[in-house]
Amino acid sequence: MQETTSTTQIAHFINNARVAGRSGRSQPVFNPATGESTRSVALASTEEVNSAVAAAKAAWPAWSKTPALRRARILDRFKAILWERGRELAEIISAEHGKTVDDAYGEVTRGLEVVEFAVGAPHLLKGEFSEDVGTGVDSHAIRQSLGVCAGITPFNFPAMVPMWMFPIALVTGNSFILKPSERDPSAALILAEWLAEAGLPEGVFNVVNGDKEAVDALLHHPDVKAISFVGSTPIAQYIHQTGTANGKRVQALGGAKNHAIIMPDADLDLATNALMGAAFGSAGERCMAISVAVPVTDAVADALIERLIPKIEALKVGPATDPASEMGPLVTAQHLDKVRGYIDSGAQEGARIVVDGRRFEQKMQGYEDGYFIGGTLIDQVTTDMKIWREEIFGPVLSVVRRGSYQEAVDLIHACPYANGTAVFTRDGDTARAFSHDIEVGMIGINVPIPVPMAFHSFGGWKASLFGEHHMHGMEGVRFFTRIKTTTTRWPRGMREDAQFVMPTLG
Ligand code: NAD
């Protein structure tokens, strides 16, 4: 990317204040609907990351000893601010990401739900107690915070994904450093300011903007105890390997290629509408987007495609500022080129481009240079094609035809990614077998985007997640805490000789 004449630089946030970048490195931030850049984002040096870690380390002892209820009340005030001003945040997200304002508000709300879960921390952190584990001996187990934790997040949910992490990390007593995506960094700073306004002490939550240098500084810093990452699979794998090699606890969620099976008994109108939202909502830039439809039998494939064509052709593609828009632009010019390249490769490899989004032209005045592309439908996709093997992350729905339920399941199992999947059927046996047997982390039965609620946990399997813990819900509490077990004896009047064998109840 080239440096432009940006007028404002998006800074870092350390000790409850915006801190200007000092590294001399920055990168432009674009409005994807217009293609313009009026701002840039500071890219932190290792020294700048170190100063954020030092602030978080200094804040942790007092924060971790603050009663959980008091921590929860600060989060509760933050939640009230989110309800009050979430729409403002959604507009800021739209201007940097490109998604519609309603869609951006949806992500703010899904993040807010994790805050709602987190304010229950005093209950979630209640320990376990066992009386008389031996004669006059009691045992109790508690969960304690880890220390300084870091979150490294992708561009596609600049508010929700950070909120999968920090509400639970903070309320369980950790301090936190967020390294948001350099493509849409503003939401993170707003969240930081609202946390400070809600009463969060200095240094407990910090934001460093940056690229690989900032990430590597976090991965190698001995005072960072845990790293929560969401992004593409190669980077997730790198984060997991490097972080764990440096002795850190790591959860690293990667990319996805989500398939939806459409059985012959499915309600085809319902499945068509579900696929429209799941494939083209947020321009397909969702890790839970359905990017592959798997109709079982050619008859189902033909009927499905017939229903999809007019709907895809009628998709309203436009800027987030136009309330009529159903789908915004892609995030950057580079990403637009990449998605167009995938459609080219599908055509070259022999797939049938049924609806070609490359033909879309944005004629609305002022938006001609935005990174727009139309919805695309590709039939006759096979597993040797690049468009099936790789994650496209754009508004492109591939159709891979299969002759039976088992062939469709085998296709899903052949895919290295295993984030989400769905089946459309009216048959209980098929639905139950699918949900029990499929090797994927999140399953939808007639539900195209089965994103678990905040009080459940989010995460895929295989190349979609590295590490043991999923995000938020009880898995989030487990990730951001460690167990301590204390055994207690008050031996009134008891005398005992030294024992050299393992104590047992006998
Ligand atoms: P990305 O992997 O390019 O970037 C994610 C983060 O990693 C960013 O903060 C970025 O600055 C950092 N990063 C990028 N390159 C790096 C490098 N070489 N070394 C160290 N850090 C680096 O991902 P993205 O393009 O921002 O987001 C889209 C991807 O995220 C898609 O693959 C999508 O499927 C995935 N995603 C997954 C989930 C999930 O829950 N599994 C959720 C959202 C997005």
Side-chain angles (χ1 to χ4, degrees):
M1 274 193 197
Q2 285 174 1
E3 196 68 42
T4 63
T5 50
S6 309
T7 50
T8 322
Q9 190 171 97
I10 298 162
H12 313 298
F13 190 92
I14 301 173
N15 276 329
N16 280 1
R18 291 202 185 212
V19 178
R22 296 189 311 268
S23 70
R25 290 198 312 125
S26 65
Q27 178 174 309
V29 176
F30 292 89
N31 179 339
T34 60
E36 288 166 356
S37 166
T38 52
R39 283 142 58 91
S40 67
V41 59
L43 302 176
S45 63
T46 302
E47 291 71 40
E48 288 170 296
V49 172
N50 291 349
S51 72
V53 177
K57 188 182 179 187
W60 176 63
W63 179 245
S64 67
K65 289 187 171 53
T66 301
L69 187 58
R70 222 167 255 157
R71 295 195 299 250
R73 283 181 183 155
I74 292 173
L75 267 285
D76 201 38
R77 284 197 288 275
F78 172 66
K79 188 186 78 180
I81 297 174
L82 281 171
W83 275 128
E84 201 182 287
R85 295 180 230 158
R87 204 83 202 165
E88 276 170 47
L89 180 59
E91 281 170 17
I92 289 162
I93 292 170
S94 291
E96 290 182 357
H97 175 287
K99 65 175 81 174
T100 64
V101 178
D102 283 345
D103 192 27
Y105 187 63
E107 82 154 281
V108 171
T109 310
R110 290 308 292 259
L112 189 154
E113 287 164 5
V114 182
V115 184
E116 288 178 320
F117 171 77
V119 294
H123 172 71
L124 303 173
L125 288 173
K126 265 192 323 201
E128 294 175 332
F129 189 96
S130 297
E131 187 180 45
D132 289 331
V133 294
T135 306
V137 179
D138 301 328
S139 193
H140 71 267
I142 54 170
R143 290 198 160 268
Q144 291 190 322
S145 59
L146 306 174
V148 180
C149 299
I152 300 160
T153 52
F155 82 85
N156 66 325
F157 288 110
M160 181 185 79
V161 170
M163 284 196 277
W164 282 355
M165 305 168 178
F166 72 73
I168 298 178
L170 296 180
V171 86
T172 53
N174 300 280
S175 52
F176 200 85
I177 297 170
L178 174 62
K179 205 303 282 171
S181 169
E182 55 276 49
R183 284 180 263 180
D184 45 16
S186 291
L189 293 179
I190 308 279
L191 292 170
E193 285 180 340
W194 289 353
L195 282 166
E197 192 180 326
L200 198 71
E202 283 183 9
V204 175
F205 183 81
N206 309 277
V207 178
V208 284
N209 278 303
D211 54 8
K212 183 169 168 53
E213 180 171 346
V215 171
D216 284 344
L218 290 167
L219 284 172
H220 290 280
H221 200 301
D223 291 333
V224 174
K225 302 299 175 197
I227 297 206
S228 188
F229 171 88
V230 177
S232 59
T233 287
I235 310 298
Q237 217 161 357
Y238 168 73
I239 300 281
H240 186 255
Q241 276 168 4
T242 316
T244 51
N246 286 325
K248 302 183 195 317
R249 187 179 285 195
V250 181
Q251 57 177 180
L253 277 60
K257 189 94 191 164
N258 305 316
H259 296 64
I261 300 180
I262 299 95
M263 294 298 292
D265 66 351
D267 177 333
L268 264 196
D269 291 324
L270 179 131
T272 305
N273 284 335
L275 286 175
M276 286 300 299
F280 304 111
S282 202
E285 291 170 325
R286 287 181 181 147
C287 64
M288 288 294 276
I290 293 289
S291 52
V292 187
V294 192
V296 170
T297 75
D298 280 332
V300 174
D302 294 340
L304 182 72
I305 287 170
E306 195 185 304
R307 283 169 167 78
L308 282 168
I309 291 172
K311 288 182 185 279
I312 300 173
E313 287 176 341
L315 257 178
K316 295 192 184 68
V317 183
T321 43
D322 180 356
S325 299
E326 291 169 327
M327 190 174 102
L330 291 174
V331 67
T332 56
Q334 290 83 346
H335 193 52
L336 175 63
D337 284 348
K338 191 171 158 190
V339 172
R340 293 181 75 95
Y342 274 116
I343 303 170
D344 294 345
S345 112
Q348 281 153 16
E349 290 191 285
R352 188 168 75 89
I353 314 293
V354 182
V355 181
D356 191 346
R358 294 171 300 182
R359 298 213 183 111
F360 176 83
E361 267 181 66
Q362 182 55 263
K363 297 203 179 89
M364 200 184 285
Q365 206 185 350
Y367 298 99
E368 300 89 342
D369 295 330
Y371 314 134
F372 293 97
I373 186 168
T376 296
L377 181 65
I378 312 184
D379 189 17
Q380 306 290 356
V381 174
T382 55
T383 53
D384 51 343
M385 293 178 186
K386 195 169 143 188
I387 50 167
W388 182 77
R389 294 194 319 270
E390 296 181 14
E391 180 183 35
I392 300 175
F393 221 56
V396 180
L397 180 63
S398 298
V399 177
V400 180
R401 295 168 176 240
R402 284 295 178 261
S404 68
Y405 169 75
Q406 193 52 51
E407 283 176 26
V409 167
D410 292 346
L411 173 76
I412 293 174
H413 284 166
C415 179
Y417 299 103
N419 213 38
T421 186
V423 68
F424 288 87
T425 180
R426 289 184 168 107
D427 181 67
D429 285 351
T430 306
R432 188 173 189 284
F434 186 75
S435 149
H436 280 247
D437 300 338
I438 204 83
E439 296 195 359
V440 174
M442 294 171 281
I443 315 295
I445 308 292
N446 298 313
V447 172
I449 307 192
V451 174
M453 294 297 284
F455 36 92
H456 287 273
S457 299
F458 183 107
W461 290 8
K462 292 162 67 179
S464 295
L465 190 147
F466 303 90
E468 281 70 47
H469 294 88
H470 288 202
M471 292 268 169
H472 62 69
M474 285 314 292
E475 280 281 87
V477 175
R478 286 180 205 114
F479 181 76
F480 286 114
T481 56
R482 54 187 167 173
I483 290 183
K484 182 182 277 177
T485 309
T486 303
T487 304
T488 311
R489 181 167 65 169
W490 294 100
R492 188 190 298 161
M494 190 194 289
R495 288 287 169 270
E496 201 172 67
D497 293 334
Q499 289 188 19
F500 299 100
V501 295
M502 189 76 181
T504 66
L505 271 185

